[in-house]
Amino acid sequence: SRTFKLLADRPDALAAMFYAPDLRSVTTAVRAMADAAGLRMGGDLAERIARAAGLDTRLAQSEVTKLALYLDASPASPRSADASALEAIGARTEEDGFGALVNA
């Protein structure tokens, strides 16, 4: 990019390039996080977590951690995760509880 070219020759500058992750790689990462936390998780649920986290692996990790805590899962005592468990721990979005407040 033009900005990179302007900064590249400066001794006091650092320029780096990052690529946004794709859904498939984040889904794979979520499944690996789940395995490490002692959760058995299908690809559809892992993809749902990846999408809900906006492909942010740090946010996905916190969701996996909450899910493992909710299900009392550990590597020594693995548990199966399903959509109902994810819905139980997930924060509701859209207009679930704030519509009346906004209208007031």
Side-chain angles (χ1 to χ4, degrees):
S1 77
R2 191 183 294 175
T3 305
F4 179 82
K5 289 177 184 175
L6 291 172
L7 293 173
D9 295 330
R10 292 184 54 112
D12 61 341
L14 172 67
M17 189 177 295
F18 297 94
Y19 296 95
D22 61 286
L23 179 60
R24 187 177 191 170
S25 65
V26 176
T27 300
T28 302
V30 170
R31 290 193 75 178
M33 293 172 199
D35 289 342
L39 290 171
R40 292 185 292 264
M41 180 181 297
D44 56 337
L45 187 60
E47 183 177 322
R48 183 174 167 187
I49 291 172
R51 284 182 189 276
L55 304 181
D56 182 342
T57 55
R58 292 173 297 169
L59 187 56
Q61 177 65 60
S62 70
E63 291 303 306
V64 168
T65 302
K66 284 193 303 186
L67 193 56
L69 182 62
Y70 177 74
L71 294 173
D72 194 29
S74 70
S77 172
R79 303 271 191 257
S80 294
D82 59 8
S84 62
L86 183 61
E87 289 172 15
I89 63 146
R92 299 212 188 284
T93 57
E94 299 174 345
E95 300 167 355
D96 287 354
F98 294 106
L101 180 64
V102 171
N103 290 337

